[in-house]
Amino acid sequence: MSTVLLVHAKGGPPLGHVLSRAAARAEVHLLALSALPTAVAESAGSLCASVVTPTEAERSDLVALIVSRAGTVGADAVLTFSEYAVVAVAEACEALGLPGAGGAAALARDKRMMRHTWHRRGLPQPAFRPVTTEAELHEAVAALSAPMLLKAAWSAGSTAHQIIDSPQEAEAAWRRSRETMARSARLGFAELHVAEAEAHFVVEEIVTGDAAQWFDEPGWGDYVSVEGVVTGGVFRPVCVSGRMPTVQPFTERAGITPALLPADLQDRVVALAREAVDALGLRDCGTHTEIKLGAGGRMWLIETAARFGGAMTVPQIEEVFRLDLVGMLVDHLLGRPVAWPERALGPGQAHGAAGSLVVLAVDGHGEAWRDRRVWDFPVVQEAVALSEGSALSVVPESSLPDGSTVPVYDPVGGANTMAALCLLSAADARTVLRDFTTLVGALPVVLPPTVSTTAQSVSVPAPSQPAPAARLRARSAMQSEGAPA
Protein backbone atom coordinates (compact mmCIF):
# COMPACT_ATOMS: atom_id res chain seq x y z
CA MET A 1 0.00 0.00 0.00
CA SER A 2 1.27 3.48 -0.83
CA THR A 3 2.22 5.86 1.97
CA VAL A 4 1.27 9.51 2.32
CA LEU A 5 2.61 12.10 4.74
CA LEU A 6 -0.12 14.66 5.46
CA VAL A 7 1.09 17.91 7.00
CA HIS A 8 -1.67 19.47 9.08
CA ALA A 9 -1.93 23.11 10.11
CA LYS A 10 -4.86 25.44 10.73
CA GLY A 11 -7.15 26.37 7.88
CA GLY A 12 -8.21 24.41 4.82
CA PRO A 13 -10.99 21.81 4.53
CA PRO A 14 -12.09 20.09 7.76
CA LEU A 15 -9.38 17.68 8.87
CA GLY A 16 -11.88 14.88 9.47
CA HIS A 17 -12.99 15.05 5.85
CA VAL A 18 -9.41 15.10 4.58
CA LEU A 19 -8.26 12.18 6.74
CA SER A 20 -11.12 9.86 5.84
CA ARG A 21 -10.66 10.44 2.10
CA ALA A 22 -6.87 10.19 2.17
CA ALA A 23 -6.91 7.06 4.33
CA ALA A 24 -9.17 5.37 1.78
CA ARG A 25 -6.41 5.77 -0.81
CA ALA A 26 -3.19 5.18 1.14
CA GLU A 27 -1.54 4.64 4.50
CA VAL A 28 -1.55 8.09 6.11
CA HIS A 29 1.03 9.46 8.52
CA LEU A 30 -0.01 12.77 10.08
CA LEU A 31 2.50 15.49 10.94
CA ALA A 32 0.51 17.88 13.13
CA LEU A 33 1.91 21.42 13.13
CA SER A 34 -1.29 22.60 14.84
CA ALA A 35 -3.27 20.93 17.60
CA LEU A 36 -5.84 18.48 16.27
CA PRO A 37 -9.45 19.66 16.62
CA THR A 38 -11.15 17.92 19.54
CA ALA A 39 -13.80 16.52 17.22
CA VAL A 40 -11.12 14.77 15.14
CA ALA A 41 -8.46 13.74 17.66
CA GLU A 42 -9.96 10.33 18.41
CA SER A 43 -10.68 9.35 14.81
CA ALA A 44 -7.21 10.47 13.72
CA GLY A 45 -5.71 7.71 15.81
CA SER A 46 -7.69 5.05 13.96
CA LEU A 47 -7.35 6.56 10.48
CA CYS A 48 -3.61 7.27 10.61
CA ALA A 49 -0.67 4.91 10.85
CA SER A 50 1.04 7.52 13.02
CA VAL A 51 0.36 10.98 14.44
CA VAL A 52 3.39 13.09 15.33
CA THR A 53 3.39 16.54 16.93
CA PRO A 54 6.86 18.10 16.64
CA THR A 55 8.51 20.15 19.36
CA GLU A 56 9.20 23.85 18.90
CA ALA A 57 12.88 23.05 18.36
CA GLU A 58 12.03 20.59 15.58
CA ARG A 59 9.78 23.19 13.93
CA SER A 60 12.63 25.69 13.63
CA ASP A 61 13.51 24.22 10.22
CA LEU A 62 10.16 23.14 8.85
CA VAL A 63 11.36 21.87 5.49
CA ALA A 64 14.04 19.71 7.12
CA LEU A 65 11.42 18.38 9.55
CA ILE A 66 9.04 17.40 6.73
CA VAL A 67 11.83 15.81 4.70
CA SER A 68 13.03 13.84 7.70
CA ARG A 69 9.57 12.62 8.63
CA ALA A 70 8.83 11.66 5.02
CA GLY A 71 12.00 9.60 4.96
CA THR A 72 11.18 7.91 8.25
CA VAL A 73 7.73 6.76 7.11
CA GLY A 74 8.79 6.07 3.52
CA ALA A 75 6.32 8.56 2.07
CA ASP A 76 5.42 8.19 -1.60
CA ALA A 77 3.67 11.57 -1.50
CA VAL A 78 3.62 14.59 0.81
CA LEU A 79 0.76 17.08 0.85
CA THR A 80 -1.03 19.73 2.87
CA PHE A 81 -4.37 21.49 2.61
CA SER A 82 -3.40 24.43 4.81
CA GLU A 83 -2.49 27.81 3.36
CA TYR A 84 0.09 28.32 6.09
CA ALA A 85 2.10 25.17 5.24
CA VAL A 86 1.93 25.31 1.43
CA VAL A 87 5.40 26.78 0.87
CA ALA A 88 7.17 24.49 3.32
CA VAL A 89 5.55 21.37 1.86
CA ALA A 90 6.34 22.48 -1.70
CA GLU A 91 10.01 22.97 -0.83
CA ALA A 92 10.12 19.63 0.97
CA CYS A 93 8.65 17.88 -2.07
CA GLU A 94 11.31 19.52 -4.24
CA ALA A 95 14.02 18.21 -1.91
CA LEU A 96 12.48 14.73 -1.90
CA GLY A 97 11.95 14.60 -5.65
CA LEU A 98 8.19 14.14 -5.16
CA PRO A 99 5.40 15.88 -7.10
CA GLY A 100 4.12 19.08 -5.49
CA ALA A 101 3.26 22.70 -6.15
CA GLY A 102 6.86 23.35 -7.17
CA GLY A 103 9.31 26.17 -6.67
CA ALA A 104 6.68 28.73 -7.66
CA ALA A 105 4.49 27.94 -4.63
CA ALA A 106 5.54 31.17 -2.90
CA LEU A 107 4.06 33.14 -5.81
CA ALA A 108 0.67 31.78 -4.82
CA ARG A 109 1.24 32.72 -1.16
CA ASP A 110 2.89 36.12 -1.14
CA LYS A 111 0.34 38.63 -2.44
CA ARG A 112 3.15 41.02 -3.41
CA MET A 113 4.93 38.55 -5.69
CA MET A 114 1.61 37.28 -7.02
CA ARG A 115 0.57 40.78 -8.11
CA HIS A 116 3.98 41.52 -9.64
CA THR A 117 3.78 38.28 -11.64
CA TRP A 118 0.32 39.08 -12.96
CA HIS A 119 1.35 42.67 -13.71
CA ARG A 120 4.18 41.43 -15.92
CA ARG A 121 1.65 39.28 -17.81
CA GLY A 122 -0.74 42.20 -18.23
CA LEU A 123 -3.56 40.45 -16.37
CA PRO A 124 -6.40 42.57 -14.94
CA GLN A 125 -6.09 43.35 -11.23
CA PRO A 126 -6.34 46.34 -8.87
CA ALA A 127 -3.47 48.85 -8.82
CA PHE A 128 -1.16 47.99 -5.90
CA ARG A 129 2.00 48.77 -3.96
CA PRO A 130 3.97 46.38 -1.69
CA VAL A 131 4.81 47.74 1.77
CA THR A 132 7.00 46.53 4.61
CA THR A 133 7.31 49.70 6.69
CA GLU A 134 5.03 52.51 7.79
CA ALA A 135 7.02 54.91 5.60
CA GLU A 136 6.35 52.72 2.55
CA LEU A 137 2.67 52.66 3.47
CA HIS A 138 2.51 56.46 3.43
CA GLU A 139 4.23 56.46 0.02
CA ALA A 140 1.72 53.92 -1.32
CA VAL A 141 -1.26 55.86 0.02
CA ALA A 142 0.04 58.98 -1.70
CA ALA A 143 0.48 57.15 -5.01
CA LEU A 144 -2.82 55.22 -5.16
CA SER A 145 -6.41 56.40 -5.36
CA ALA A 146 -8.68 56.12 -2.34
CA PRO A 147 -10.33 54.08 -1.04
CA MET A 148 -7.57 51.51 -0.63
CA LEU A 149 -7.27 48.16 1.09
CA LEU A 150 -4.32 47.28 3.32
CA LYS A 151 -3.70 43.52 3.26
CA ALA A 152 -1.22 41.29 5.02
CA ALA A 153 0.73 39.62 2.22
CA TRP A 154 0.78 36.16 3.80
CA SER A 155 -2.55 36.13 5.63
CA ALA A 156 -5.79 34.24 4.94
CA GLY A 157 -9.41 34.62 5.98
CA SER A 158 -9.35 38.43 5.55
CA THR A 159 -7.12 38.80 8.60
CA ALA A 160 -5.61 42.30 9.02
CA HIS A 161 -7.61 43.79 6.13
CA GLN A 162 -8.33 47.49 6.56
CA ILE A 163 -9.85 50.17 4.34
CA ILE A 164 -7.87 53.41 4.13
CA ASP A 165 -9.81 56.44 2.91
CA SER A 166 -7.23 59.15 3.47
CA PRO A 167 -3.52 59.58 4.33
CA GLN A 168 -4.52 60.51 7.88
CA GLU A 169 -5.78 56.96 8.48
CA ALA A 170 -2.55 55.23 7.39
CA GLU A 171 -0.69 55.33 10.71
CA ALA A 172 -3.54 53.84 12.74
CA ALA A 173 -4.23 51.23 10.06
CA TRP A 174 -0.60 50.14 10.03
CA ARG A 175 -0.45 49.82 13.81
CA ARG A 176 -3.73 47.90 14.00
CA SER A 177 -2.83 45.49 11.19
CA ARG A 178 0.56 44.71 12.73
CA GLU A 179 -1.10 44.04 16.09
CA THR A 180 -3.68 41.78 14.44
CA MET A 181 -1.05 39.74 12.61
CA ALA A 182 0.91 39.26 15.82
CA ARG A 183 -2.22 38.10 17.62
CA SER A 184 -3.14 35.76 14.75
CA ALA A 185 0.33 34.22 14.87
CA ARG A 186 -0.16 33.42 18.56
CA LEU A 187 -3.43 31.65 17.62
CA GLY A 188 -1.70 29.63 14.89
CA PHE A 189 -3.19 31.52 11.94
CA ALA A 190 0.07 32.61 10.33
CA GLU A 191 2.68 31.57 7.77
CA LEU A 192 4.75 28.75 9.26
CA HIS A 193 7.87 28.82 7.09
CA VAL A 194 8.74 32.30 5.81
CA ALA A 195 10.61 34.47 8.31
CA GLU A 196 9.10 37.88 9.12
CA ALA A 197 6.06 37.18 6.93
CA GLU A 198 3.88 39.08 9.39
CA ALA A 199 5.69 42.30 8.37
CA HIS A 200 4.86 41.99 4.67
CA PHE A 201 1.83 43.90 3.36
CA VAL A 202 0.31 45.12 0.13
CA VAL A 203 -1.97 48.11 -0.52
CA GLU A 204 -4.54 47.87 -3.31
CA GLU A 205 -7.02 50.24 -4.84
CA ILE A 206 -10.59 49.05 -4.26
CA VAL A 207 -12.28 48.33 -7.56
CA THR A 208 -16.06 48.63 -7.80
CA GLY A 209 -17.88 45.37 -8.36
CA ASP A 210 -21.32 44.77 -9.82
CA ALA A 211 -23.02 41.40 -9.50
CA ALA A 212 -26.22 42.47 -11.29
CA GLN A 213 -24.85 41.88 -14.79
CA TRP A 214 -23.53 38.43 -13.93
CA PHE A 215 -26.39 36.82 -12.00
CA ASP A 216 -30.08 36.66 -12.86
CA GLU A 217 -31.26 37.28 -9.29
CA PRO A 218 -30.15 39.61 -6.46
CA GLY A 219 -28.34 38.54 -3.33
CA TRP A 220 -25.11 37.23 -4.84
CA GLY A 221 -21.76 38.76 -4.01
CA ASP A 222 -19.76 40.31 -6.81
CA TYR A 223 -16.92 37.79 -6.82
CA VAL A 224 -16.55 34.08 -7.46
CA SER A 225 -13.86 31.46 -7.05
CA VAL A 226 -12.70 28.94 -9.61
CA GLU A 227 -11.84 25.63 -7.97
CA GLY A 228 -9.35 23.47 -9.80
CA VAL A 229 -6.14 21.51 -9.82
CA VAL A 230 -2.80 21.61 -11.63
CA THR A 231 -1.41 18.29 -12.81
CA GLY A 232 1.98 18.22 -14.47
CA GLY A 233 1.74 21.98 -14.93
CA VAL A 234 -1.64 21.79 -16.69
CA PHE A 235 -4.56 23.67 -15.12
CA ARG A 236 -7.77 21.66 -14.85
CA PRO A 237 -10.81 23.67 -13.70
CA VAL A 238 -13.40 21.78 -11.66
CA CYS A 239 -16.22 24.25 -10.98
CA VAL A 240 -17.06 27.82 -9.99
CA SER A 241 -18.27 28.74 -6.50
CA GLY A 242 -20.50 31.74 -5.78
CA ARG A 243 -20.61 33.99 -2.72
CA MET A 244 -22.88 36.12 -0.64
CA PRO A 245 -21.75 39.76 -0.25
CA THR A 246 -18.80 40.17 2.11
CA VAL A 247 -18.90 41.77 5.55
CA GLN A 248 -16.92 44.98 6.03
CA PRO A 249 -14.19 45.29 5.06
CA PHE A 250 -14.06 42.10 2.94
CA THR A 251 -14.68 39.15 5.24
CA GLU A 252 -16.34 36.20 3.52
CA ARG A 253 -19.74 35.23 4.89
CA ALA A 254 -20.80 32.32 2.68
CA GLY A 255 -19.69 30.19 -0.26
CA ILE A 256 -22.21 28.39 -2.49
CA THR A 257 -21.68 25.52 -4.93
CA PRO A 258 -22.39 25.90 -7.78
CA ALA A 259 -22.38 29.57 -8.78
CA LEU A 260 -25.43 30.33 -10.93
CA LEU A 261 -23.52 31.92 -13.76
CA PRO A 262 -24.77 31.55 -17.34
CA ALA A 263 -22.52 29.19 -19.30
CA ASP A 264 -20.88 31.88 -21.44
CA LEU A 265 -20.01 33.99 -18.39
CA GLN A 266 -18.65 30.98 -16.52
CA ASP A 267 -16.42 30.25 -19.51
CA ARG A 268 -15.02 33.80 -19.36
CA VAL A 269 -14.33 33.50 -15.63
CA VAL A 270 -12.61 30.14 -16.04
CA ALA A 271 -10.48 31.45 -18.91
CA LEU A 272 -9.15 34.27 -16.70
CA ALA A 273 -8.47 31.81 -13.88
CA ARG A 274 -6.47 29.69 -16.30
CA GLU A 275 -4.33 32.69 -17.26
CA ALA A 276 -3.75 33.50 -13.59
CA VAL A 277 -2.72 29.96 -12.63
CA ASP A 278 -0.57 29.48 -15.75
CA ALA A 279 1.28 32.72 -15.00
CA LEU A 280 2.29 31.45 -11.55
CA GLY A 281 3.86 28.28 -12.93
CA LEU A 282 2.40 25.79 -10.44
CA ARG A 283 2.99 22.07 -11.08
CA ASP A 284 0.96 19.58 -9.00
CA CYS A 285 -1.54 20.95 -6.47
CA GLY A 286 -5.08 22.09 -5.89
CA THR A 287 -5.96 25.67 -6.83
CA HIS A 288 -8.45 28.27 -5.66
CA THR A 289 -8.67 31.48 -7.71
CA GLU A 290 -10.89 34.41 -6.71
CA ILE A 291 -12.13 36.82 -9.34
CA LYS A 292 -13.96 40.13 -8.94
CA LEU A 293 -16.92 40.77 -11.25
CA GLY A 294 -17.69 44.27 -12.50
CA ALA A 295 -20.02 46.20 -14.76
CA GLY A 296 -19.68 45.85 -18.50
CA GLY A 297 -18.18 42.38 -18.17
CA ARG A 298 -15.02 43.61 -16.45
CA MET A 299 -13.08 41.23 -14.21
CA TRP A 300 -10.15 41.62 -11.83
CA LEU A 301 -7.99 38.93 -10.26
CA ILE A 302 -8.10 38.92 -6.47
CA GLU A 303 -5.89 35.98 -5.47
CA THR A 304 -4.86 32.43 -6.36
CA ALA A 305 -3.89 29.79 -3.81
CA ALA A 306 -1.86 26.63 -4.42
CA ARG A 307 -4.37 24.50 -2.53
CA PHE A 308 -8.06 23.73 -2.61
CA GLY A 309 -10.54 26.24 -1.21
CA GLY A 310 -10.97 26.27 2.54
CA ALA A 311 -14.00 26.04 4.82
CA MET A 312 -16.45 23.54 3.26
CA THR A 313 -15.59 24.11 -0.40
CA VAL A 314 -14.19 20.61 -0.89
CA PRO A 315 -17.08 18.77 0.87
CA GLN A 316 -19.56 20.91 -1.07
CA ILE A 317 -18.00 19.88 -4.38
CA GLU A 318 -18.12 16.24 -3.34
CA GLU A 319 -21.80 16.50 -2.45
CA VAL A 320 -22.86 18.47 -5.52
CA PHE A 321 -20.62 17.05 -8.25
CA ARG A 322 -19.76 13.63 -6.78
CA LEU A 323 -16.04 14.37 -6.93
CA ASP A 324 -13.75 13.39 -4.06
CA LEU A 325 -11.08 16.04 -4.65
CA VAL A 326 -8.94 14.92 -1.72
CA GLY A 327 -8.83 11.31 -2.90
CA MET A 328 -8.29 12.36 -6.51
CA LEU A 329 -5.33 14.56 -5.58
CA VAL A 330 -3.82 11.78 -3.47
CA ASP A 331 -4.17 9.38 -6.39
CA HIS A 332 -2.52 11.87 -8.74
CA LEU A 333 0.43 12.49 -6.42
CA LEU A 334 0.89 8.73 -6.16
CA GLY A 335 1.06 8.42 -9.95
CA ARG A 336 -2.33 6.81 -10.43
CA PRO A 337 -4.64 7.78 -13.31
CA VAL A 338 -7.38 10.26 -12.38
CA ALA A 339 -10.43 11.21 -14.45
CA TRP A 340 -10.53 14.98 -13.92
CA PRO A 341 -13.47 16.85 -15.49
CA GLU A 342 -12.82 17.76 -19.11
CA ARG A 343 -14.11 21.28 -18.42
CA ALA A 344 -15.48 23.24 -15.47
CA LEU A 345 -18.76 21.78 -14.21
CA GLY A 346 -21.77 24.05 -13.81
CA PRO A 347 -25.38 24.07 -12.61
CA GLY A 348 -26.37 21.69 -15.42
CA GLN A 349 -24.17 18.93 -13.97
CA ALA A 350 -25.01 19.61 -10.31
CA HIS A 351 -26.91 17.27 -8.01
CA GLY A 352 -28.63 19.90 -5.88
CA ALA A 353 -26.51 22.57 -4.20
CA ALA A 354 -24.58 23.16 -1.00
CA GLY A 355 -23.20 26.13 0.85
CA SER A 356 -21.22 27.00 3.96
CA LEU A 357 -22.01 29.98 6.19
CA VAL A 358 -19.57 31.62 8.59
CA VAL A 359 -21.48 32.77 11.67
CA LEU A 360 -20.41 36.33 12.49
CA ALA A 361 -22.07 38.79 14.86
CA VAL A 362 -23.12 40.99 11.94
CA ASP A 363 -26.59 41.25 10.40
CA GLY A 364 -27.55 41.22 6.74
CA HIS A 365 -26.98 44.98 6.45
CA GLY A 366 -23.42 44.72 7.74
CA GLU A 367 -24.29 46.12 11.18
CA ALA A 368 -23.04 44.63 14.45
CA TRP A 369 -25.64 42.79 16.51
CA ARG A 370 -27.28 45.04 19.08
CA ASP A 371 -26.46 42.71 21.97
CA ARG A 372 -24.34 39.70 22.83
CA ARG A 373 -25.72 36.26 22.02
CA VAL A 374 -24.85 32.66 22.92
CA TRP A 375 -24.12 30.15 20.16
CA ASP A 376 -26.64 27.28 20.35
CA PHE A 377 -27.06 25.22 17.19
CA PRO A 378 -30.05 23.14 18.40
CA VAL A 379 -31.91 26.41 18.98
CA VAL A 380 -31.09 27.52 15.44
CA GLN A 381 -32.32 24.22 14.01
CA GLU A 382 -35.57 24.49 15.94
CA ALA A 383 -36.32 28.18 15.47
CA VAL A 384 -35.28 29.03 11.91
CA ALA A 385 -37.69 27.97 9.17
CA LEU A 386 -35.73 26.98 6.07
CA SER A 387 -37.02 25.82 2.69
CA GLU A 388 -38.63 22.43 2.35
CA GLY A 389 -35.97 19.81 1.73
CA SER A 390 -33.09 21.96 3.00
CA ALA A 391 -30.79 20.37 5.59
CA LEU A 392 -28.65 22.45 7.95
CA SER A 393 -25.73 21.07 9.97
CA VAL A 394 -22.83 22.49 11.94
CA VAL A 395 -19.14 21.70 11.40
CA PRO A 396 -17.96 20.84 14.94
CA GLU A 397 -14.22 21.23 14.36
CA SER A 398 -14.76 24.74 12.95
CA SER A 399 -17.29 25.91 15.56
CA LEU A 400 -17.43 26.98 19.17
CA PRO A 401 -19.21 24.59 21.56
CA ASP A 402 -22.88 25.27 22.20
CA GLY A 403 -23.18 27.68 25.12
CA SER A 404 -20.22 29.82 24.03
CA THR A 405 -20.68 33.56 23.70
CA VAL A 406 -20.58 34.66 20.07
CA PRO A 407 -17.44 36.83 19.62
CA VAL A 408 -17.79 40.49 18.79
CA TYR A 409 -17.07 40.89 15.09
CA ASP A 410 -13.81 42.71 14.51
CA PRO A 411 -13.38 43.95 10.92
CA VAL A 412 -9.61 43.70 11.22
CA GLY A 413 -9.71 40.19 12.69
CA GLY A 414 -11.89 38.91 9.85
CA ALA A 415 -12.79 35.23 10.11
CA ASN A 416 -10.83 34.94 13.38
CA THR A 417 -13.96 36.28 15.12
CA MET A 418 -16.34 33.63 13.75
CA ALA A 419 -18.54 31.62 16.10
CA ALA A 420 -19.38 28.67 13.89
CA LEU A 421 -19.41 27.20 10.41
CA CYS A 422 -22.68 25.79 9.10
CA LEU A 423 -23.31 23.59 6.06
CA LEU A 424 -26.57 23.71 4.12
CA SER A 425 -27.75 21.25 1.47
CA ALA A 426 -30.68 22.23 -0.72
CA ALA A 427 -32.43 21.56 -4.01
CA ASP A 428 -30.56 24.29 -5.89
CA ALA A 429 -28.24 27.26 -5.41
CA ARG A 430 -31.10 29.77 -5.35
CA THR A 431 -32.55 27.97 -2.35
CA VAL A 432 -29.18 27.96 -0.56
CA LEU A 433 -28.88 31.72 -1.09
CA ARG A 434 -32.43 32.33 0.11
CA ASP A 435 -32.03 30.13 3.19
CA PHE A 436 -28.72 31.73 4.13
CA THR A 437 -30.33 35.18 3.87
CA THR A 438 -33.07 33.98 6.21
CA LEU A 439 -30.53 32.49 8.59
CA VAL A 440 -28.37 35.63 8.77
CA GLY A 441 -31.44 37.70 9.63
CA ALA A 442 -32.70 35.26 12.24
CA LEU A 443 -29.53 34.54 14.22
CA PRO A 444 -29.43 37.74 16.34
CA VAL A 445 -33.09 37.14 17.22
CA VAL A 446 -33.29 33.41 17.93
CA LEU A 447 -29.94 32.84 19.65
CA PRO A 448 -30.20 33.17 23.43
CA PRO A 449 -28.92 36.46 24.87
CA THR A 450 -26.07 36.45 27.38
CA VAL A 451 -26.98 37.18 30.98
CA SER A 452 -26.07 40.86 30.72
CA THR A 453 -25.66 42.61 27.38
CA THR A 454 -25.70 46.18 26.18
CA ALA A 455 -25.34 47.73 22.77
CA GLN A 456 -22.03 49.27 23.86
CA SER A 457 -20.64 45.91 24.80
CA VAL A 458 -20.67 44.81 21.18
CA SER A 459 -19.34 47.92 19.50
CA VAL A 460 -16.13 47.44 17.55
CA PRO A 461 -13.02 48.96 19.14
CA ALA A 462 -12.40 52.50 17.99
CA PRO A 463 -9.11 51.86 16.15
CA SER A 464 -10.83 49.57 13.64
CA GLN A 465 -13.94 51.71 13.07
CA PRO A 466 -13.78 53.93 10.00
CA ALA A 467 -14.99 57.49 10.21
CA PRO A 468 -18.74 57.92 9.43
CA ALA A 469 -18.19 59.11 5.84
CA ALA A 470 -15.65 56.39 5.22
CA ARG A 471 -18.03 53.80 6.68
CA LEU A 472 -20.71 54.71 4.18
CA ARG A 473 -18.26 54.39 1.30
CA ALA A 474 -16.96 51.12 2.68
CA ARG A 475 -20.50 49.76 2.96
CA SER A 476 -21.24 50.66 -0.65
CA ALA A 477 -18.03 48.89 -1.66
CA MET A 478 -18.56 45.86 0.57
CA GLN A 479 -18.99 43.64 -2.47
CA SER A 480 -15.82 44.97 -4.05
CA GLU A 481 -13.42 42.27 -3.06
CA GLY A 482 -13.24 38.86 -1.48
CA ALA A 483 -10.57 37.23 0.60
CA PRO A 484 -9.54 33.65 0.03
CA ALA A 485 -11.05 31.08 2.21
Side-chain angles (χ1 to χ4, degrees):
M1 190 175 191
S2 299
T3 300
V4 168
L5 177 64
L6 175 64
V7 180
H8 166 67
K10 290 194 174 183
L15 180 59
H17 180 93
V18 168
L19 283 179
S20 62
R21 273 63 178 175
R25 297 305 217 280
E27 179 181 273
V28 176
H29 293 264
L30 186 62
L31 180 61
L33 304 180
S34 298
L36 300 186
T38 304
V40 181
E42 184 174 343
S43 61
S46 60
L47 289 171
C48 300
S50 70
V51 179
V52 170
T53 303
T55 65
E56 284 300 318
E58 291 172 323
R59 289 163 56 107
S60 62
D61 188 339
L62 204 50
V63 173
L65 169 64
I66 296 169
V67 169
S68 173
R69 186 62 187 156
T72 299
V73 303
D76 302 297
V78 180
L79 73 164
T80 186
F81 294 89
S82 168
E83 179 82 349
Y84 306 118
V86 161
V87 176
V89 168
E91 291 186 10
C93 288
E94 291 281 280
L96 291 162
L98 297 175
L107 298 182
R109 250 321 258 130
D110 185 343
K111 298 172 179 62
R112 304 166 305 165
M113 293 192 291
M114 186 186 305
R115 293 236 174 271
H116 279 304
T117 301
W118 287 341
H119 178 72
R120 287 192 292 270
R121 291 292 187 96
L123 299 180
Q125 61 179 338
F128 70 98
R129 294 288 189 280
V131 296
T132 55
T133 66
E134 186 179 336
E136 290 179 351
L137 175 59
H138 283 286
E139 293 173 2
V141 169
L144 299 173
S145 299
M148 292 158 277
L149 184 65
L150 175 63
K151 285 183 176 182
W154 298 82
S155 70
S158 305
T159 304
H161 282 29
Q162 288 195 89
I163 294 173
I164 298 176
D165 281 274
S166 69
Q168 291 72 32
E169 297 176 9
E171 181 179 352
W174 178 254
R175 182 176 63 253
R176 184 86 166 97
S177 288
R178 291 296 304 272
E179 292 171 352
T180 300
M181 287 304 296
R183 184 165 60 252
S184 293
R186 292 194 293 271
L187 295 172
F189 295 99
E191 170 60 34
L192 296 171
H193 177 53
V194 179
E196 300 182 354
E198 72 279 359
H200 301 159
F201 288 81
V202 64
V203 180
E204 303 174 356
E205 292 183 357
I206 296 177
V207 294
T208 302
D210 186 353
Q213 298 182 21
W214 295 82
F215 295 95
D216 293 333
E217 61 278 308
W220 292 91
D222 64 359
Y223 71 110
V224 293
S225 59
V226 179
E227 322 303 343
V229 66
V230 178
T231 62
V234 177
F235 174 60
R236 302 180 186 278
V238 172
C239 67
V240 179
S241 300
R243 297 291 191 278
M244 290 181 75
T246 57
V247 178
Q248 183 186 332
F250 296 109
T251 302
E252 293 192 5
R253 193 195 288 273
I256 300 173
T257 307
L260 285 185
L261 288 173
D264 59 329
L265 297 183
Q266 173 163 306
D267 288 345
R268 289 192 60 223
V269 166
V270 171
L272 180 57
R274 183 183 302 279
E275 289 187 87
V277 174
D278 287 350
L280 298 178
L282 301 172
R283 287 216 305 265
D284 294 283
C285 60
T287 63
H288 173 76
T289 302
E290 296 190 347
I291 296 175
K292 178 64 168 298
L293 310 175
R298 294 193 67 186
M299 294 182 287
W300 300 269
L301 291 169
I302 298 174
E303 294 170 10
T304 285
R307 43 85 182 165
F308 292 133
M312 295 297 285
T313 303
V314 169
Q316 287 167 210
I317 291 171
E318 180 171 319
E319 177 176 343
V320 173
F321 292 115
R322 310 296 194 257
L323 294 175
D324 172 12
L325 291 187
V326 172
M328 294 167 75
L329 180 60
V330 169
D331 280 343
H332 170 71
L333 295 177
L334 291 173
R336 301 167 182 164
V338 179
W340 299 103
E342 294 184 1
R343 58 181 298 160
L345 304 174
Q349 294 80 44
H351 301 269
S356 48
L357 178 77
V358 176
V359 176
L360 302 166
V362 182
D363 66 22
H365 301 289
E367 301 290 344
W369 292 355
R370 294 178 60 84
D371 53 18
R372 303 297 298 275
R373 296 279 166 163
V374 173
W375 173 244
D376 192 325
F377 182 67
V379 167
V380 175
Q381 282 185 303
E382 179 69 23
V384 182
L386 301 177
S387 301
E388 183 177 355
S390 294
L392 184 70
S393 59
V394 69
V395 184
E397 65 180 87
S398 302
S399 305
L400 296 175
D402 290 328
S404 303
T405 300
V406 176
V408 174
Y409 174 65
D410 179 358
V412 184
N416 287 358
T417 51
M418 66 183 283
L421 182 65
C422 294
L423 177 67
L424 180 74
S425 301
D428 52 51
R430 289 182 180 85
T431 303
V432 174
L433 181 62
R434 182 172 62 249
D435 284 349
F436 275 167
T437 301
T438 298
L439 191 58
V440 168
L443 287 175
V445 178
V446 303
L447 287 176
T450 55
V451 175
S452 176
T453 61
T454 65
Q456 279 142 335
S457 70
V458 297
S459 32
V460 178
S464 65
Q465 277 281 42
R471 193 179 306 123
L472 290 174
R473 287 193 294 275
R475 191 171 301 136
S476 68
M478 268 173 52
Q479 297 183 32
S480 294
E481 186 162 336

